[in-house]
Amino acid sequence: MASETTATERVGEVAAPSAADFETARRGRRVPAFDELQPPPVELRRFVAGVLIAAAVVVVSVVAFNIVVDPFGTFGTGLFPTAIESDRSAKISLLEKLPYNPDVLIMGSSRSRPARPKVLEQLTGRTGFNSGVTSGGAVDWWVFAHLWLKRFPKGPHHVLLFVSDGVGTNVVNPQLAADSRAAPYLPKGLDTGEWSLLHKLKAYTSIDAARDSYRVVRACMRPEGCHTGFFHADGSLRLGLLRSAGVRTHRMQAKLSAELARIRRDGISHRLPTEHEQLTFERLLGYLNDHGITPVIVTNPLQPQLLAALNRRGNPRYKWSVDYLDRLHAKYRFRFIDLTSIKTFGGSPSDFSDPTHVDTKNMDLMLQYIVAHDHGIL
Amino acid sequence: MLFNSYVFLFAFLPVVLVVWWTLRPPTVRLTFLALASYFFYGWWDWHFIPLLFTSTSVDFISGHMISRSDDPRRRKIVLVTALSINLAFLGYFKYAGFFVDSANGIGSWFGAGDSIPALHIVLPIGISFYTFNSMSYTIDIYRRIVQPARNFLHYAAFVSLFPHLIAGPIVRYSDIDQQLRSLQPRLTAKLAASGLFFFCCGLVKKLVIADELAPHVTNLFANHAHLHLMTGWAAAIGYSLQLYFDFSGYSDMAVGLAFLLGFRFPQNFNSPYQSVNISDFWRRWHMSLSFWLRDYLFIPLGGSHGSRAATLRNLFITMFLGGLWHGAAWTFVVWGLIHGCYLVIHNLARGAGLTPRNTIVNRAITYMCVAAAFVVFKSPTLSVAGDVLASMAGLNGLGTLHDLRVSVGATFLLEVVGLLVFVNVVPNTWQIKLEPRLRHGVAIGFAAGFAVLLIAQPSPFIYFQF
């Protein structure tokens, strides 16, 4: 607080007798030092031009670099692969080129990607294809089911669907919407999430996007060139891409600690999905049933510490999902297997790549359990 | 609309500047400026535009009524009425919910439960700032310090002027009266250079420094129960730096925008962390508020002209209300009271000749006191503040350098150390005598361009909440 004392004490050495200086002393500077300078106007104009041009050069260069590299695949430049793994397009391509008729279509989100059709084949004798994609939801499953049945109309047809709490909402992933092969199957009336030009430019006016662009360009400068082959022909992940067990464990622990801290700090989401948000999911079940398919629906496991933390807070989304699926039995045919707890299938708490994503070891155990408890569907 | 948003930088500002400097008749220019400022304000929530307009009208009419009357009683009645209306707006929108919650809290101690229904009132952005702007106008007319505004347009343009509307500096009518009466006819190279210099400095302070510190500080405060001596101080120092660069960055941008429109705003920060005592700090930190509180609260209470006890009481009341001005929460009240205590202690110590003579020691003590008080300012509850302050006092253990590095990261530590040196050594934006050469312009432009690329997500200024 500026107390009402002597002028000298108020401003130290600044106090001076003139009226202007008294005002400065009373309420701070009126004229900044920069403004006190009296350079020639030409210097000032150069300074202004320098600021504006340099700022524009930085921004325009970065935006142009990002558009050329197009790390998010929003402009469709196509000169480089996208930084974000566009697994929807990759898996559609694989399904289009698949040389055999997959009996079992595996669907789900990134949490289903470690499921290997080869392991399933060893257990059931049936071939398969893993169409699990990052943030996969009901619309993705709807599209993949249509593509699969169109490409391979002759059976047998079986579906193994991995769901998380909240089951499967109507959200349309922009990457799916951008793929012309998926477009005919997108449910009408849903928000396709397509970005406007301004949104695209905004996304690329960013250091983060430039960092992604740099990462893409650097990756393409390797001797083997740009590498986009993340999957085997059957849609399963190339194991070579997975990190070593030590690194994985360390990262999993770090992510687990962060997630538990976040739950302690913020609590958990109590927002429950509405049944309207599950419209596409229910249409999918109806569509599969109409084609004589009884899907096996499995809930994805959680790392036990995370599950315990959620259960301590009531885990409302999980409870809603189980109740909802239970109610759906009255309308649709499907087999539900709850593998949220790894105790059910004898999984290991360390075989997770992060608190919500199992590793292949746990997934293999899950597949064994599913086949043993699917009432012979698979 | 945020100064650090694409829509402001690439749409609103260029359009406003081009139109403002193209128009010629002063009335048309001021009309455009007021409308643009109302648009700027309404971008956030147009529902509060009538509130801004009403507040402006009340003070404009009151100012004229006071200036036209020589009857002291009538002048006083109008003044009190105008101030009451202003404070009623502020009280309803900013403090009603707080008082209801506090009353319910006290009631629940006596087993009465929540007897008053909770209020959920949206706080109109910038209300504290424009209310203080308006109140100073009416009071200054009452004191015969300024003449009333020439017309409503002048006054509306002053109150709503978008560079200072949301978060200050708290500009007084006397600061800008003459500037509104004789508008700059054209954008000179000097105005443009000064404006860009200040605006770019503010942009870099906010986006490159404050926003870089923010996630680390948030993370530390989120783990308030697990902090120890070192991490507790890292949280306090980190936040003090974040707040300084955030708010002084905003003030610099406001000053820069004012220059670009041909106006001059007063200084709001003067290297506050170089203060040698707490009284000095309040002459350097948020100066426009500090001087407002001095001129319109401390001095009317009696200032320092009475007994020592009266002076200390006045300081204490002023700081209490200054704290409450910041926000409707007990944390802000306690923060104000802490500063009131600091000022009282400093006053007593100075009177007894107990203040240290060494400038570095004085600076260090002042800074540590200020940083500790900011913990209460930042914390969502007094309980969280208590946890952090306990850790800073070493009650949760000393911790090790390794813990510190793991908790906050080496980069954050280096940034904090570097910025502490920076704020103590480098001249502030108002002191920098940078020759406006091309190479300096290019360097500032590169820095500003880099800052623009950091606008990934909306990042409001901390003082927007007040």
Side-chain angles (χ1 to χ4, degrees), chain B residues 207-223:
Chain B
L207 291 165
V208 181
I209 302 176
D211 285 357
E212 166 59 27
L213 294 173
H216 301 285
V217 173
T218 303
N219 192 29
L220 283 167
F221 274 84
N223 291 296

Side-chain angles (χ1 to χ4, degrees), chain B residues 94 123 125-126 128 239 326-327 332 377 461-466:
Chain B
K94 189 162 179 172
L123 177 70
I125 196 164
S128 306
Y239 182 66
H326 279 83
F332 295 113
F377 188 92
F461 293 88
I462 293 171
Y463 262 66
F464 272 25
Q465 61 183 301
F466 308 136

Side-chain angles (χ1 to χ4, degrees), chain A residues 1 4 9-10 35 205, chain B residues 6 264 282-283 304 350:
Chain A
M1 177 59 209
E4 185 201 20
E9 192 191 29
R10 276 196 293 271
D35 205 37
T205 313
Chain B
Y6 294 121
R264 287 165 193 274
W282 279 105
R283 288 191 293 271
S304 55
R350 195 182 54 185

